[in-house]
């Protein structure tokens, strides 16, 4: 696929790109694992990033060799989500990661559209807490999709809501499953995190404080 077209929209993953809720997810899953009698290591957690709540729970239960009925799974997922919601309830605009607001301002001034494409059903709450709603042309969260990343549905819906073609969009993602989702949808992808983890991306940056419009435009060449 040719990726030489002009960039007209940026779609941002939320957890781990705009805010560091990835850490809160980890804390809550680890707490659940501990309740169930085992531990969750950071490298095991890495695989759960970007994956929906119920799929993440299935992975966790598999790691702990635990079987559960549907009803029990629902209870466990609710437990995790209640802890997680507790952690995020204190979030404020100061919790936005470095470089995010400057970059969103720069995109807005350049008339590049901005969307959030998150697997999280808590995305609207987080957006409200950190007050970034004014920058968004679309917000697609976990309640609006049926197929999780690496399926591209979340990003395709964001593009559609902005009236954009996939080839007009660049996705920013911290999860391997998210980079795959962007690629599966025919979009360019910028990995946010470690090069080693996200090597399938067109470019990898440590955080949004390492990107600006000029650098973004290098993906057009
Ligand atoms: P919730 P993202 C994802 O958000 C997280 O990376 C992933 O760890 C989480 O399980 C998923 O959201 C579902 O979140 O339980 O809040 O619905 O990275 O796609 O913004
Ligand atoms: Mg993420």
């Amino acid at each position: 696929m040719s990726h030489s077209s002009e960039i007209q929209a940026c779609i941002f993953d939320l957890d781990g790109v705009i805010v560091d809720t990835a850490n809160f997810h980890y804390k809550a899953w680890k707490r659940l694992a501990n309740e169930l009698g085992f531990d969750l290591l950071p490298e095991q957690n890495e695989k759960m990033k970007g994956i929906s709540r119920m799929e993440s729970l299935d992975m966790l239960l598999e790691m702990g060799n635990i079987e559960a009925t549907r009803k029990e799974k629902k209870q466990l997922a609710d437990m995790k989500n209640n802890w997680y919601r507790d952690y995020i309830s204190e979030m404020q605009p100061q919790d936005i990661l470095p470089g995010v607001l400057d970059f969103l301002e720069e995109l807005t001034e350049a008339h590049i559209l901005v969307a959030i494409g998150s697997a999280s059903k808590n995305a609207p709450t987080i957006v409200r807490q950190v007050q970034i709603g004014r920058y968004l042309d679309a917000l697609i969260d976990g309640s609006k999709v049926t197929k999780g990343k690496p399926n591209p549905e979340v990003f395709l819906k964001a593009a559609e809501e902005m009236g954009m073609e996939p080839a007009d969009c660049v996705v920013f993602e911290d999860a391997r499953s998210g980079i795959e989702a962007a690629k599966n949808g025919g979009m360019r992808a910028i990995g946010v995190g470690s090069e080693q983890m996200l090597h399938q991306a067109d470019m990898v940056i440590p955080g949004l404080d390492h990107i600006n419009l000029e650098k973004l435009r290098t993906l057009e060449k």
Side-chain angles (χ1 to χ4, degrees), residues 40-181:
L40 179 70
L41 303 171
E43 55 269 31
Q44 292 174 306
N45 177 68
E46 201 62 39
K47 296 191 198 109
M48 291 160 66
K49 277 190 185 172
I51 307 287
S52 76
R53 194 180 310 162
M54 292 317 279
E55 277 179 285
S56 302
L57 177 67
D58 283 338
M59 281 174 129
L60 188 89
L61 293 176
E62 212 179 296
M63 287 171 203
N65 245 318
I66 290 169
E67 286 192 17
T69 63
R70 267 179 68 172
K71 198 173 155 209
E72 286 165 343
K73 281 187 190 177
K74 167 91 181 57
Q75 286 168 345
L76 293 172
D78 285 349
M79 258 168 94
K80 182 266 174 179
N81 194 48
N82 287 336
W83 290 325
Y84 176 71
R85 288 192 63 87
D86 252 9
Y87 301 146
I88 63 170
S89 70
E90 308 274 301
M91 288 185 82
Q92 293 174 19
Q94 293 98 286
D95 294 311
I96 297 171
L97 288 169
V100 172
L101 290 180
D102 283 347
F103 188 50
L104 291 179
E105 289 283 352
E106 207 184 355
L107 293 175
T108 306
E109 269 168 39
H111 303 290
I112 293 178
L113 299 185
V114 172
I116 297 281
S118 168
S120 175
K121 291 184 176 162
N122 293 302
T125 307
I126 298 165
V127 164
R128 215 176 311 124
Q129 299 254 151
V130 302
Q131 298 171 21
I132 52 164
R134 66 183 180 282
Y135 294 107
L136 306 185
D137 299 291
L139 168 55
I140 307 296
D141 66 73
S143 66
K144 294 186 182 168
V145 293
T146 53
K147 292 167 231 127
K149 301 167 188 176
N151 187 289
E153 185 184 11
V154 66
F155 297 138
L156 293 178
K157 281 211 164 152
E160 195 187 326
E161 203 165 302
M162 294 187 286
M164 292 287 152
E165 294 298 324
D168 303 330
C169 303
V170 175
V171 168
F172 289 77
E173 255 292 349
D174 71 316
R176 198 181 272 192
S177 59
I179 299 291
E180 282 171 33

